Amino acid sequence: MYNNVSMLVVNNMGLSQKSLVLNCLLILAISGMTLFSGISINLNNNQAQAQEDQQQRVGHTKANKLWETPANLKNPESVAYASKQNVLFVSNVNGKPDQKDQNGFISKVSPSNGSIIELNWVKGLNAPKGIAISNDGSKLYVSDITDLVEIDIASGKIIKRFNGPGSSFLNDVVADNLGNIYVSDTGTNTIYKLDTNLGNSTLSSLQVWLQSRQLNGPNGLHIDNNKNKLIVVSLGPLSKPGGGMEVIDIKNKKISSLGKAGTTSPFGSLDGIVSDATETHYYVTDNPAGKVYTVNADGTGYVTLIDLHTQGAADLGSRPGQSTIIIPLMQDNKLVAYKLVQ
């Protein structure tokens, strides 16, 4: 470019000083526009390349919609698949999420087509949220504001309520491969633990396992049994939602962040989390954004897998053997299921 500018100056040596100045200004203007254009093209190319690189790092999983339930559920918050019974259990808040009004209930839904098998299977709860199924498939554990409720699946009867001392907003529930039950309390930055291996359920009690501001409003929980890690997705402070993903070493309770929130891992009002069969990717919901993210388990990147175009994407469940995720839509009063394909 500079050679072309020199040639234009030499060819115009016979012009008046004023004309020469004008020509030089014109040349500089053209050069500037060319340079700016080149910078713009490079920036656009760089952005496109960055997006492509991010997609390659996270993978090319796509989601195809399978079915959705009728809108007969009542603020469905969490869903869990019971392989032994081949059924989906769904918690229905049916009112305010922190009100002890006994309006909450559990539904049974078909995993094959989303038909509602029994809407009011278990009644008499307040605002049930997270659900976990015991290792032997005989019991259902459901969080209910300040209690963890134990339900016998065969009879559909409530067996016992475990109160979380100091709890205010119990949320998600998860079981590890030893049978221990973990419950998040979004309001007090606490993870509770129920030890069910005491031989007698009357001896079990729900106790504080970990409490830390670093949990930042813990919501969804997932156990990586292979790595002995508890993965937490956070809502953020109730007064100002916005959280990321934390990893807890179950042995020493050390907390570390998964990736960089908003860059290589999601940041938002995160709600639910499940994993693929290999624990390579997590699937995470952002409740008000109405999105499901695919997140690399090593914290190196994430992408939007599904944009539901509605608010209220809550605590999703999965059928790992079927590569299927099921998402409760709280505000739309239904579930929607997607098949994951490579």
Side-chain angles (χ1 to χ4, degrees), residues 55-72:
Q55 182 68 37
Q56 288 175 350
R57 286 198 303 270
V58 178
H60 296 282
T61 302
K62 295 182 180 180
N64 296 328
K65 187 176 178 180
L66 290 177
W67 50 256
E68 65 180 55
T69 65
N72 295 334

Side-chain angles (χ1 to χ4, degrees), residues 53-61 281 294 296 303 342:
D53 291 344
Q54 177 82 337
Q55 182 68 37
Q56 288 175 350
R57 286 198 303 270
V58 178
H60 296 282
T61 302
H281 300 100
T294 301
N296 283 348
V303 293
Q342 297 295 328

Side-chain angles (χ1 to χ4, degrees), residues 4-130:
N4 292 334
V5 172
S6 300
M7 288 297 295
L8 284 170
V9 171
V10 171
N11 291 337
N12 287 282
M13 287 296 290
L15 297 176
S16 66
Q17 185 176 4
K18 181 178 180 180
S19 298
L20 185 58
V21 170
L22 289 173
N23 274 319
C24 288
L25 290 174
L26 179 61
I27 292 166
L28 290 173
I30 293 171
S31 300
M33 287 188 290
T34 303
L35 178 61
F36 180 77
S37 175
I39 291 172
S40 299
I41 292 171
N42 286 335
L43 286 174
N44 290 333
N45 288 339
N46 289 339
Q47 290 172 348
Q49 184 64 47
Q51 292 173 354
E52 183 178 346
D53 291 344
Q54 177 82 337
Q55 182 68 37
Q56 288 175 350
R57 286 198 303 270
V58 178
H60 296 282
T61 302
K62 295 182 180 180
N64 296 328
K65 187 176 178 180
L66 290 177
W67 50 256
E68 65 180 55
T69 65
N72 295 334
L73 300 171
K74 300 296 182 183
N75 312 122
E77 204 283 333
S78 183
V79 57
Y81 174 66
S83 57
K84 188 175 181 179
Q85 294 81 15
N86 191 32
V87 70
L88 297 171
F89 293 113
V90 185
S91 63
N92 295 259
V93 174
N94 193 24
K96 295 181 179 180
D98 59 350
Q99 188 168 326
K100 295 185 177 183
D101 52 16
Q102 295 191 325
N103 288 336
F105 59 92
I106 308 296
S107 300
K108 294 169 72 174
V109 172
S110 168
S112 60
N113 59 18
S115 61
I116 297 176
I117 299 170
E118 190 172 355
L119 183 63
N120 293 281
W121 175 58
V122 176
K123 298 187 290 184
L125 300 171
N126 293 304
K129 299 177 185 70

